[in-house]
Amino acid sequence: MKIAPSLLGADFSKLAEELKSIEGFTDILHLDVMDNHFVPNISFGPAVIKALRDKTKMIFDTHLMIENPGNYIEEYIKAGSDYITIHYEAEKDIIGVLRKIKALGAKAGVSFKPKTEITADMDFLAECDLILIMTVEPGFGGQEFMEPIVAKIKKAVEIKKAKQLSFLISADGGINDKTIGHVSGLLDIAVSGSYIFKHPDKVKAFASLKK
Ligand code: DX5
Ligand code: ZN
């Protein structure tokens, strides 16, 4: 399992330094984009992603919490995103957008809010490189991990196996040294924002999530 620190938990006054502080521990960075429509918050957009692109070799895993994400794919790929994850609840033509992302050379993912079920008849799962299961309501860092969502993660693992699909399974929200035990063994990627970036000792922070 990889740990993907979420930049949302970083000190925005020194982003390049914050990247340096985690580079030795992981090769993937989670970037939370919010539009104040799909979620009641604004974070950052393509200009910030672009500005960070030449500061690090890390894989950029961009999580679009925005309405009509299909309209903005190209911009986020041009800015340097390697993965683009859209929300199931924000887009009618999921397969179309996933194909657009892949045609533009990036990997494609779909994210699910806590109340959204994942079911075996979701045809777009076969087109996903990644699925991102929200373990908090999207919109803010620092929220409490929703333990009931673990059942959904287990179901996704089962669907993947039964249908012989290849997407990576990731979870996002409230993941720290106390909650990682619920999801390790189930995930390919655990996203962790405030726990990693606010921890004074990054060696300990990463080690506690890898246990
Ligand atoms: C929530 C974001 C998460 C968040 C994770 O909307 O998608 O990526 O930053 O932060 P923590 O780990 O603080 O819950
Ligand atoms: Zn996220």
Side-chain angles (χ1 to χ4, degrees), residues 45-177:
V48 170
I49 296 175
K50 190 163 183 243
L52 293 174
R53 185 58 286 184
D54 69 352
K55 304 278 181 228
T56 177
K57 289 195 166 57
M58 274 190 283
I59 296 163
F60 278 7
D61 164 32
T62 299
H63 175 193
L64 294 182
M65 284 163 274
I66 64 177
E67 294 286 357
N68 302 312
N71 298 343
Y72 305 96
I73 297 308
E74 203 167 345
E75 230 180 311
Y76 283 95
I77 293 176
K78 277 195 183 143
S81 303
D82 299 291
Y83 279 82
I84 300 270
T85 296
I86 60 167
H87 260 272
Y88 173 77
E89 305 82 4
E91 178 59 57
K92 286 190 193 80
D93 180 17
I94 301 275
I95 290 199
V97 178
L98 293 175
R99 289 183 181 159
K100 185 171 177 182
I101 294 168
K102 291 191 280 188
L104 289 166
K107 303 255 190 212
V110 174
S111 183
F112 302 87
K113 288 169 79 169
K115 289 189 187 73
T116 306
E117 284 303 316
I118 303 178
T119 55
D121 63 358
M122 290 174 157
D123 290 338
F124 62 81
L125 291 174
E127 304 268 345
C128 289
D129 296 303
L130 173 95
I131 64 165
L132 179 67
I133 299 172
M134 296 308 300
T135 40
V136 297
E137 281 299 337
F140 299 90
Q143 302 181 79
E144 207 170 309
F145 180 84
M146 297 168 76
E147 216 179 304
I149 308 297
V150 175
K152 191 200 294 191
I153 301 174
K154 288 183 178 158
K155 188 175 174 191
V157 172
E158 278 163 24
I159 292 172
K160 176 180 170 178
K161 200 172 162 199
K163 301 195 89 178
Q164 297 184 302
L165 299 174
S166 57
F167 52 75
L168 299 174
I169 300 180
S170 58
D172 184 8
I175 294 179
N176 56 40
D177 57 339

Side-chain angles (χ1 to χ4, degrees), residues 6 8 30 32 34 63 65 134 138-143 172-175 191-194:
S6 166
L8 196 64
H30 185 85
D32 286 306
M34 303 179 184
H63 175 193
M65 284 163 274
M134 296 308 300
F140 299 90
Q143 302 181 79
D172 184 8
I175 294 179
V191 176
S192 178
S194 36

